[in-house]
């Protein structure tokens, strides 16, 4: 259960990163990021999809959140393994 809880927490942190990032310099991309996130929840994304999605994010997000987005493919893969 520990792995399930940790994975669920990281999924929520990814969602929070989409919500809290400063999208002012990239109007419209926040909604696109949310849309891809929704798709990734229902259908396991491949690494290329997640890599392209990660490019939508503003470059000024904190380093820890940037790493979370970089690791999102592994996180979604674990999530779909449940």
């Amino acid at each position: 259960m520990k792995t399930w809880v940790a994975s669920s927490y990281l999924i929520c942190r990814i969602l929070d990163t989409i919500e809290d990032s400063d999208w002012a310099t990239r109007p419209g991309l926040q909604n696109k990021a949310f849309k891809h996130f929704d798709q990734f929840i229902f259908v396991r994304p491949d690494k290329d999809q997640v890599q392209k999605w990660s490019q939508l994010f503003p470059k000024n997000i904190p380093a820890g959140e940037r790493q979370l987005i970089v690791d999102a493919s592994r996180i979604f893969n674990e999530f779909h393994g449940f």
Side-chain angles (χ1 to χ4, degrees), residues 6-25:
S7 181
S8 296
Y9 171 78
L10 292 173
I11 291 289
C12 290
R13 288 294 304 129
I14 292 169
L15 186 59
D16 190 55
T17 298
I18 299 170
E19 178 64 33
D20 292 344
S21 294
D22 180 10
W23 297 90
T25 60

Side-chain angles (χ1 to χ4, degrees), residues 6 8 16 18 20 24 33 39-40 45 59 61-62 70-72 76 79:
S8 296
D16 190 55
I18 299 170
D20 292 344
Q39 291 171 346
F40 296 165
K59 301 301 179 206
I61 64 174
V70 167
D71 292 338
F76 282 113
F79 175 80

